[in-house]
Every structure is written in C-alpha cells, then in structure tokens.
Amino acid sequence: MKAYCDMTREELLAEKRHREKQFEAVKAAGLKLDMSRGKPSRAQLDISRQMMNVLNSEVYYNDETGTDVRNYGVLFGIPEAKYLMGKMSEVEPEDMIIFGNSSLNIMFDTVARSMTHGVCGNTPWCKLDRVKFLCPVPGYDRHFKITEFFGIEMINIPLHEDGPDMDMVEEYVNNDPEVKGIWCVPKYANPTGITYSEETVLRFAHLKPAADDFRIYWDNAYSIHHLYDDPKKQDYLLEILTECRKAGNPDMVYKFISTSKVTFPGAGIAALATSQKNLKDIKKYMQVQTIGHDKMNQLRHVRYFGNMANMHEHMRRHAAILRPKFELVETMLEREIGGLKIGEWTKPRGGYFISFDSMDGCAKAIVAKAAEAGVKMTEAGATFPYGKDPRDRNIRIAPSYPTEEELRKATEVFVLAVRLVSIDKILEGK
Amino acid sequence: MKAYCDMTREELLAEKRHREKQFEAVKAAGLKLDMSRGKPSRAQLDISRQMMNVLNSEVYYNDETGTDVRNYGVLFGIPEAKYLMGKMSEVEPEDMIIFGNSSLNIMFDTVARSMTHGVCGNTPWCKLDRVKFLCPVPGYDRHFKITEFFGIEMINIPLHEDGPDMDMVEEYVNNDPEVKGIWCVPKYANPTGITYSEETVLRFAHLKPAADDFRIYWDNAYSIHHLYDDPKKQDYLLEILTECRKAGNPDMVYKFISTSKVTFPGAGIAALATSQKNLKDIKKYMQVQTIGHDKMNQLRHVRYFGNMANMHEHMRRHAAILRPKFELVETMLEREIGGLKIGEWTKPRGGYFISFDSMDGCAKAIVAKAAEAGVKMTEAGATFPYGKDPRDRNIRIAPSYPTEEELRKATEVFVLAVRLVSIDKILEGK
C-alpha cells in the first residue's frame, strides 16, 4: 500500500471513508479494554501461586541468624534477602537495604529525604532556590510525578537507542550545581525498551558532577525481565555501582530493584543498593521512619526462590506468556501500517512496553480516538515531564494485561485510530 | 521495713553492704535479658500461627469487589480491610486508609508531608521559622524522635492520671499558631498505662487552635490491648473523631492504629482514620508515593479474623500471656520496695508497659546499674523529648518479651539496682 503522505486528496478521502466504517463497526462492538499500565496478567500472577505455600503454620520463622522474622527488629532486611536481592542487583549483600513492596516508594522517600534533610550532609533541597532533575524522554511517568510533586524543575534529555544523550547529560551535570539527579530506567527502558550501552554506563560512571549531592536514580525495574530465552536475544547492562567505584564516584548512584514483576505487583519486595556512605545516610532516616519492613514477605521470597537460577527460570515462565503478546502487537502494526509512514514503534527484547511514535501532533488525538471505541491507552504525554510531549507523538503500549484475544481487538482499534487521525493530519496540510 | 529516708546513716550503710553482696551474686550469674522494648514474646507470636494458612496456592485472591489483590491497584486499602480496621478504630470504613505494616511509618510520613507540602493547603512547615509540637510526658520515644528529626520544637506537657494537662494544652494550642501538633497515646498510654478521661477527650475535641493546620496525632496503639477480660477492669476511651465532628472541628485529628501487637509486629497492617478533607490531602501524596501497600496481607488479616469479635477473642489470648508477667513485676516491686519510699510505679490494665518513677536524679544510674548485671532496660530519659527527663526519674519497664522465669530474675536485678542507687542518693544528702 502507498504511504499516506504520497496519496492524493481523493485517495485519502476514500481511505478515510473506508476506515471510518471499520471504526464504527468496532465501536459498535462495545469493547472495554485497558492497555494503559504495565500490569501483569492473571496468568502471570498464577506463576507465583506456589510461593503462597512457603510460609504456613508449620514452618520455622527464624532467619539464618536465628532472629524470629515475625517480631520487631532487623530494620534493613534479613541477611538471606540481602543475599538474594544482591544477586538480582549484581551487588554485594552489604551494599543493600531491603524495603517493603514498592521500589517507587523508596525513590519517593529518597527525594523526600533529600528535600528535608539533604544528601550526606549537603543543604536540604527545600532550602535551595532551585533543584533540577534530568529526565530522559520518553520515560516513566511515575518518576516524573515524584519530581513534579516536590517542585523540582525537570529537563528533557533525548533518549537514544543506546541511552540518554550523554553529551547533554555531561553538559548539565558537570556544570550546573542545581542539577541534583537524573531518572534512569537503564534496561528495557520504560517505554522504549532500549538498554544503555556499555559506553553510556561508563560515561555515567565518569561524570564529574558540579553538585556534591548529585545522584543517578538507577531504576533497574526490568533487570531480569527478558522476553527471549536465547541469551543472544537478551540485552546486557554493565553494572554501574562497580563502574562508579572504579571511576572514583562511589556515592553517585542509587540502584533500585523489586520483585513487583517477578512475583506479585501488590506484594513483592523492593531493595536499594548504593555505597556505604549513602546507606549510612539512609539508615539514619529509616531508624526514625519505621519499625522495619515486612520481613515475613522477605523470608517467603527467599525460601521460595532459594537462588538466582530459580528466579531466572521463573522469569522464563513470565516471558512465555508475555512474548506472544508483544509479537502479536508488533506483527499487527507491521501488517496494518508498516508502509504507511504514519508511525514507528519499538521491538523490545524485554520489559513491559512498546513505544509508538505517531506523526507529530497526533498522539493525543489517537489516544482519544481509541478511547471512543473502548480501548484505554496510557494518556498521551504521560511519558514526558509535566505530561507535555513537545511533539505530541509518543504513545506507550502496554500489551501485558489483556488476553491475546483482547489484545488483538485492542490493537485493531488502535491501528484504526492511528489511520484516521493521521489521514486528518495529512489532509490539513494538503 | 523502714523507709530508706527514715534510716540512719549507719542503717543505710549496713543495708548497702547487704544489697551489694546480693547484687554481686546476680551479676556473677551472667544474665543477658532485654526489657527495653515493648516486644511481644514468641508465645504471643504463636497465637497468630494459623493466620499463615489463610492464603495458600488454592484460594481465590479477589477482594469483595472482585479485584485481584495480587496485582497493582486499590491504593487506599481493600474494602473489607477498611471495614475490619474501621471497627477496630470505631470509625466508618470510608474514613480510613489502610497502609503497610507500620503505623509509625504513617506518622512519620504525615509529618514529612506537612514539612514539604503543608497541611490542606497551609504553608509547608519547612518554610516556617518555627514549628512546635506538644509532647505529653512521659511518652513514646519513637514519637519524639520523629519530631526531633524534623527539627520541630517539642514542649513537655505533664501527663496526669486522666490525660495530658489540658489547661496547658488549651493555653498553647488556642494561642500559639506555631503549635502544629500534639502526640497522644490515649489508651493504656506508653509508658504510664493511663487512659484519657471523657472530659479530656471532650476538651481535646473543643480546642480552638490558633493554627489552621494544628492536628492531634492520636496514636491509639493499644485500643483493644486489655490485660483483663472483665469489662469492669478494662479502660474505656471516648471516640475522638466523632467528638471533634460534633464540636465543629472535623479535621483536627489523625487516628492511627495497627495490628502490630495483634498479629505480627513485623508484618501486621496499619491504618489511618481522619476526615474526608484530610484523607483527600493524604491521598494526593500517596498517589505519587507508592504503587500501593501490600493488599495480600490485608486480605490475610481479614480472612483470618472475619470480624471484631474474633479479634477480641484473639486479644484475650495475648492477655492470658501478658497478665501474669505484669502481675509478677508488680508483686515483686511491692514486696521488695513497697514501703521504702524509693519509687512509685503504675499498675496498668492494658498496653505494654509499667512506668517506674524513682527518686529524682536516680533513673540513669539505675538503668546503668541494671545493665551491669546484664539486664537491659529502656534508656532512662527516652520517655521524654530529646531524651531529657528533667527529674531523671522515669524508667519504662517492658515485661512482655522475657519468659516469666527471666522476668523474675530481671526484676530482682532491677529492684537491687533501685535499692543501691537510692541508698547512695540518700547518703549524699545525709
């Protein structure tokens, strides 16, 4: 089929009528499908069903040091959880704190703490005139919401195939002392699915921040979340804490991970890895903040998995459910609008999202159009700070939650929405 | 036996020699006992053992609205948890948010949020020159640590048998706009075990705060934690949210509860009850802070208890373990130092502590002396802001964790420490 932009006005109008009829038909079907969040499906949740038998009335509740995990104490995580999550995060157990069920909550608290108490003895951010964060875009909306909530100025940094634009990152970080952080999803990025290259990680590690309290917020949310079993089809990410140490920047990074998309989104365990100096800073805060996180859930996770090999095996079962969904969307997009020059999309090898770029100025309209036919997408703009996509073109597709049958219908609707909005856009210009 | 203050110098010196010998003997026994925290014993933890069978691989994980609690969503608590915790807190389900495993964490976050974002549109506290909290003393050390951590000025308010000195509370709250909060443990108070009278609660409800953002931090940690089954031996506390509403102060109170000392200190559920206006304020924050708290643990609690009657029954089993420990300490104190005029102590009908007041200027020395013989008490002064007991006399005794046999030995040591330090104090003055 001809690219839309190469069609005559008459051809476009004919195509429009044709697609509108199709759209009215799917609309009449009264769908109600949600593709807005990176939510595991029920089938994925069932993968972890047996974990719920691990703790019961008959087992011992002591951790490996003999401490009863049901009681108060062990504020920073039981040793065996530090060991397992350390393996997952590729760091030593002593570099870790184990938290509750939400890594987002750790990130939020880290920013909140920096606001009221500062980072390692530096001035609390709430006492500064201005604090800035770098935001590789498109990125994760919940990150941007945190910095927005605290009134932190966000600066867009283009995200390329190999990571953020490092020239810009270096320019800002090395020269502007108001730049205190950068949000990163370094592997199978949300939403574009890219993984930072070795060079990118090394350039991060060798930053020379103007601010003493500049930190990289390294949200390795999809560290083991491959879609393919073949190692050649898996992305590899250089371990940054080690590289920062080698580069003489041991305190520059906070690494976040969780099992939210390994076991249960509502009841996983989350962890932070960073330098001893940073850990000390954070522990001072935690000692006042809480009586400790849920150690029983830590024990449940550790006893269920036993070791990293089992966790990887577990992830292969997730991949077996997710992979066909990703491929279904990619195949349909290619077949339906492959040659039309009205959109581009990613083909990630892991993570939870396909990132779709429409023609400029079409994303909001496409999402609205799909909603008309009962398909809820992530709000257009959400992948940018302040919800403002300067080119209004990025749409995040989350294929995980619907069944394959639902996903097929939803993608049909989406494709029609892309067609119709693009036709109107091109007609405007003719 | 004669009161120590009535003894001659010679009698005292003889008594000292006698008690020193006894002390050396217990010291030689090499005890290692911890009476420092209000920690349930292993036997108490075992009361909730069957709760660990409630969720397993065979059950449904849907809440009563059909939502799968294993997944993301339901940020403010599943409906049935709101219902159960609402009953526990004597409020309506819609007045509640269910959080994670630590009510202390809710309190900390409430103060943190007030610092950075203010309360219901008022100026963030971090932008104010000074913020003050009223602290009924003796009180809960972890409360005071929170306000100290945020640089909030703490003002001691004497705690009487019927609650805080309400003349002082009214004087401060109604006139000083810098007073933004008061820490309260209104029932079976930590550490004195007293419960606020109806008159006290009504005076609280009828405060006319000078500050719009003044809030009562009502930590009802021991709401159902009676030591006696006989209702006539149980304390009764007027429900404050209702009274505040009636008095035209609907937004003035935050009520905190948790099941930390009902099920598991490390893995209970905690909740906040307050007005709709306050809830709205808090929800704005939570929506950015977290992907939601552990709903599986909420479901586990609800399915285990089913209703409040079962939770009360459960608490009677705790009481059966705790009561003899409290009575043992009280009996030993009475028998050993009852007539000596060297100390007074509370005989609580619930909660976790016995509060001991020594002669002025003796508490630190007594705690140090007991530690010499291997008995760890709560640090003297801990029950006051900044760890400073102006009269150096209050010691918190936590009888819950040791076995009865250990507790007997620990109390022997404690009593000897009280005797010896008191004798020295009296000798100083002779």
Side-chain angles (χ1 to χ4, degrees):
Chain A
M1 196 170 191
K2 231 193 246 180
Y4 277 4
C5 54
D6 299 332
M7 286 187 182
T8 64
R9 193 176 164 80
E10 287 62 38
E11 283 171 324
L12 275 175
L13 287 170
E15 171 73 1
K16 184 176 175 177
R17 278 191 299 275
H18 174 52
R19 299 301 174 186
E20 264 172 352
K21 256 185 221 156
Q22 291 184 324
F23 188 78
E24 290 310 314
V26 290
K27 200 167 150 183
L31 298 177
K32 198 164 178 279
L33 300 171
D34 192 337
M35 290 172 77
S36 66
R37 304 295 318 174
K39 239 172 117 165
S41 61
R42 197 171 274 254
Q44 285 179 266
L45 300 177
D46 281 338
I47 297 173
S48 305
R49 223 171 227 286
Q50 295 300 323
M51 190 172 78
M52 297 315 291
N53 295 329
V54 165
L55 297 189
N56 57 53
S57 61
E58 304 308 312
V59 305
Y60 286 101
Y61 283 93
N62 292 0
D63 73 8
E64 62 182 33
T65 66
T67 303
D68 192 325
V69 300
R70 299 172 298 178
N71 221 324
Y72 291 118
V74 201
L75 195 50
F76 308 118
I78 60 174
E80 50 266 64
K82 285 187 187 178
Y83 185 83
L84 180 69
M85 297 300 276
K87 287 285 174 204
M88 185 179 168
S89 195
E90 302 169 78
V91 301
E92 297 301 318
E94 56 267 28
D95 297 330
M96 301 229 93
I97 296 176
I98 314 296
F99 288 76
N101 70 324
S102 165
S103 60
L104 191 79
N105 202 332
I106 314 178
M107 296 175 221
F108 180 97
D109 283 4
T110 304
V111 173
R113 180 177 61 249
S114 306
M115 292 298 294
T116 54
H117 287 79
V119 177
C120 294
N122 288 280
T123 309
W125 296 353
C126 72
K127 304 285 181 201
L128 299 175
D129 288 336
R130 190 156 41 192
V131 173
K132 299 172 189 161
F133 257 61
L134 305 184
C135 300
V137 288
Y140 178 32
D141 55 344
R142 299 296 300 258
H143 286 163
F144 305 153
K145 289 266 186 238
I146 291 174
T147 25
E148 183 177 1
F149 189 69
F150 285 99
I152 292 171
E153 188 179 315
M154 293 181 280
I155 297 164
N156 290 4
I157 303 287
L159 185 71
H160 304 310
E161 281 295 309
D162 58 352
D165 186 312
M166 289 310 293
D167 291 343
M168 273 182 79
V169 170
E170 286 164 356
E171 177 69 22
Y172 275 110
V173 173
N174 296 352
N175 295 300
D176 186 347
E178 292 181 343
V179 171
K180 303 296 191 190
I182 180 169
W183 288 119
C184 296
V185 183
K187 194 168 181 180
Y188 301 133
N190 176 352
T192 67
I194 66 105
T195 296
Y196 294 9
S197 70
E198 284 205 17
E199 194 202 327
T200 298
V201 176
L202 289 171
R203 285 179 75 178
F204 264 111
H206 285 85
L207 286 170
K208 300 276 169 252
D212 232 24
D213 50 354
F214 168 82
R215 296 289 182 272
I216 303 163
Y217 284 63
W218 198 256
D219 181 5
N220 205 357
Y222 308 107
S223 59
I224 56 172
H225 303 56
H226 312 288
L227 285 174
Y228 297 91
D229 298 348
D230 179 355
K232 285 196 292 290
K233 285 187 165 180
Q234 296 179 348
D235 288 359
Y236 167 77
L237 175 69
L238 198 58
E239 200 290 293
I240 192 167
L241 199 56
T242 310
E243 297 308 324
C244 282
R245 246 175 227 143
K246 284 195 221 159
N249 279 322
D251 307 315
M252 201 171 57
V253 63
Y254 300 126
K255 283 182 77 172
F256 306 94
I257 53 164
S258 84
T259 68
S260 290
K261 290 186 179 88
V262 178
T263 57
F264 301 120
I269 56 177
L272 168 75
T274 189
S275 72
Q276 290 303 314
K277 184 176 162 186
N278 288 336
L279 288 177
K280 206 176 145 194
D281 200 37
I282 294 161
K283 287 177 178 179
K284 262 194 289 182
Y285 181 90
M286 281 182 71
Q287 269 164 336
V288 179
Q289 184 184 28
T290 177
I291 52 98
H293 295 291
D294 184 341
K295 300 182 296 293
M296 294 181 82
N297 203 28
Q298 293 174 21
L299 191 68
R300 181 182 290 116
H301 276 73
V302 172
R303 289 206 183 150
Y304 178 63
F305 286 114
N307 59 44
M308 247 346 265
N310 290 334
M311 206 190 279
H312 284 302
E313 178 55 37
H314 190 90
M315 293 312 291
R316 278 192 278 277
R317 300 176 65 189
H318 280 287
I321 295 173
L322 285 170
R323 192 169 50 242
K325 295 185 180 180
F326 275 78
E327 291 177 345
L328 184 153
V329 174
E330 288 159 14
T331 305
M332 284 181 71
L333 288 173
E334 186 56 42
R335 192 186 62 212
E336 294 291 322
I337 58 173
L340 302 187
K341 295 190 184 165
I342 55 173
E344 291 176 349
W345 56 93
T346 57
K347 290 165 199 72
R349 309 204 290 182
Y352 265 71
F353 303 103
I354 292 168
S355 178
F356 184 90
D357 278 335
S358 68
M359 294 168 61
D360 283 11
C362 290
K364 270 189 200 305
I366 291 168
V367 169
K369 192 84 191 163
E372 264 182 51
V375 175
K376 190 180 168 193
M377 318 281 305
T378 306
E379 217 183 325
T383 52
F384 286 76
Y386 312 106
K388 285 183 195 154
D389 175 358
R391 296 174 62 180
D392 183 25
R393 65 167 183 168
N394 187 249
I395 297 170
R396 187 179 80 167
I397 301 174
S400 55
Y401 191 70
T403 62
E404 282 181 54
E405 193 42 41
E406 290 168 337
L407 190 60
R408 189 183 318 276
K409 285 180 188 159
T411 309
E412 266 172 32
V413 169
F414 176 70
V415 161
L416 283 169
V418 172
R419 286 182 189 273
L420 287 168
V421 171
S422 304
I423 291 170
D424 281 346
K425 192 77 190 171
I426 296 167
L427 282 171
E428 267 177 36
K430 294 248 171 197
Chain B
M1 198 169 190
K2 229 192 247 181
Y4 277 4
C5 54
D6 298 332
M7 286 187 182
T8 64
R9 194 175 162 79
E10 287 62 39
E11 283 172 324
L12 275 174
L13 287 170
E15 171 74 3
K16 183 176 175 180
R17 278 190 301 274
H18 173 52
R19 299 301 172 188
E20 264 172 350
K21 255 183 223 158
Q22 290 185 325
F23 188 77
E24 289 311 313
V26 290
K27 201 169 152 183
L31 298 177
K32 200 166 177 278
L33 301 171
D34 192 335
M35 290 172 77
S36 66
R37 305 296 316 174
K39 241 172 114 167
S41 60
R42 194 171 276 252
Q44 286 179 265
L45 300 176
D46 281 338
I47 296 173
S48 305
R49 224 171 227 284
Q50 295 300 324
M51 189 172 79
M52 298 315 291
N53 295 330
V54 165
L55 297 189
N56 57 54
S57 62
E58 305 308 312
V59 304
Y60 286 102
Y61 282 93
N62 292 0
D63 72 8
E64 62 182 33
T65 66
T67 304
D68 192 325
V69 300
R70 299 171 299 178
N71 221 324
Y72 291 120
V74 201
L75 196 48
F76 308 119
I78 61 174
E80 51 266 63
K82 285 187 186 176
Y83 184 83
L84 180 68
M85 297 300 277
K87 287 286 174 204
M88 186 180 165
S89 194
E90 303 169 77
V91 303
E92 296 302 316
E94 58 267 28
D95 296 331
M96 299 230 94
I97 297 176
I98 313 297
F99 288 76
N101 69 323
S102 165
S103 59
L104 191 78
N105 202 332
I106 314 177
M107 296 175 221
F108 181 96
D109 283 5
T110 304
V111 173
R113 180 176 64 250
S114 306
M115 292 298 295
T116 55
H117 288 78
V119 177
C120 294
N122 288 281
T123 310
W125 296 352
C126 72
K127 304 284 181 203
L128 300 176
D129 288 335
R130 192 162 34 197
V131 172
K132 300 172 190 162
F133 256 60
L134 305 185
C135 300
V137 289
Y140 179 32
D141 55 342
R142 299 296 298 259
H143 286 164
F144 304 151
K145 289 264 185 238
I146 291 174
T147 25
E148 182 176 0
F149 190 69
F150 284 99
I152 292 171
E153 189 180 314
M154 293 181 278
I155 297 165
N156 291 2
I157 303 287
L159 185 71
H160 304 309
E161 282 295 308
D162 58 351
D165 186 312
M166 289 309 294
D167 291 342
M168 273 182 79
V169 170
E170 285 164 356
E171 176 68 22
Y172 275 111
V173 173
N174 296 354
N175 295 298
D176 186 348
E178 293 181 342
V179 171
K180 302 296 190 189
I182 180 168
W183 288 119
C184 297
V185 184
K187 194 168 180 181
Y188 300 134
N190 177 352
T192 65
I194 66 105
T195 295
Y196 293 11
S197 69
E198 285 204 17
E199 193 202 327
T200 298
V201 175
L202 289 171
R203 285 178 74 176
F204 264 111
H206 284 85
L207 286 170
K208 301 276 168 252
D212 233 21
D213 51 354
F214 169 82
R215 295 290 182 273
I216 302 163
Y217 285 63
W218 198 256
D219 181 3
N220 205 358
Y222 307 107
S223 60
I224 56 172
H225 303 55
H226 311 287
L227 284 174
Y228 296 91
D229 298 349
D230 179 355
K232 285 196 293 293
K233 284 187 164 181
Q234 296 179 349
D235 287 0
Y236 167 77
L237 175 70
L238 198 59
E239 201 290 293
I240 191 166
L241 200 55
T242 310
E243 297 308 324
C244 282
R245 247 177 226 141
K246 283 195 223 160
N249 279 322
D251 306 317
M252 201 171 56
V253 63
Y254 299 128
K255 283 182 77 172
F256 307 94
I257 53 164
S258 85
T259 67
S260 291
K261 290 186 179 89
V262 177
T263 57
F264 301 120
I269 56 177
L272 168 75
T274 189
S275 72
Q276 290 301 315
K277 183 176 163 187
N278 288 336
L279 287 177
K280 204 175 148 196
D281 200 39
I282 294 161
K283 285 176 178 180
K284 263 196 289 183
Y285 182 91
M286 280 182 73
Q287 267 164 336
V288 179
Q289 183 184 29
T290 177
I291 51 99
H293 295 290
D294 183 342
K295 301 183 294 297
M296 294 180 82
N297 204 28
Q298 293 173 23
L299 192 68
R300 181 182 290 115
H301 276 72
V302 172
R303 290 205 183 151
Y304 178 63
F305 286 114
N307 59 44
M308 251 341 269
N310 289 334
M311 205 189 279
H312 284 303
E313 177 55 35
H314 190 90
M315 293 312 289
R316 279 192 277 278
R317 299 175 65 189
H318 279 288
I321 296 171
L322 285 170
R323 192 170 49 241
K325 295 185 181 182
F326 276 77
E327 290 178 345
L328 183 153
V329 174
E330 288 160 13
T331 305
M332 283 182 72
L333 287 173
E334 186 56 42
R335 192 186 63 211
E336 293 292 321
I337 57 171
L340 303 186
K341 296 191 185 166
I342 56 175
E344 292 175 349
W345 57 93
T346 57
K347 289 163 200 72
R349 308 203 292 181
Y352 265 70
F353 302 103
I354 293 168
S355 179
F356 184 91
D357 279 336
S358 68
M359 294 166 62
D360 283 12
C362 290
K364 270 189 199 309
I366 291 168
V367 169
K369 193 81 191 166
E372 263 182 52
V375 175
K376 190 179 168 192
M377 317 282 304
T378 307
E379 218 184 323
T383 52
F384 286 76
Y386 311 106
K388 284 182 195 155
D389 176 358
R391 296 174 62 179
D392 184 25
R393 64 166 183 169
N394 187 249
I395 298 170
R396 188 178 79 168
I397 301 174
S400 55
Y401 190 68
T403 62
E404 283 182 54
E405 193 41 41
E406 289 168 337
L407 190 60
R408 189 184 315 277
K409 285 181 189 159
T411 309
E412 267 171 33
V413 169
F414 176 70
V415 161
L416 283 170
V418 173
R419 285 182 189 272
L420 287 167
V421 171
S422 304
I423 291 171
D424 281 347
K425 192 76 187 173
I426 296 167
L427 282 171
E428 268 177 34
K430 293 253 172 193

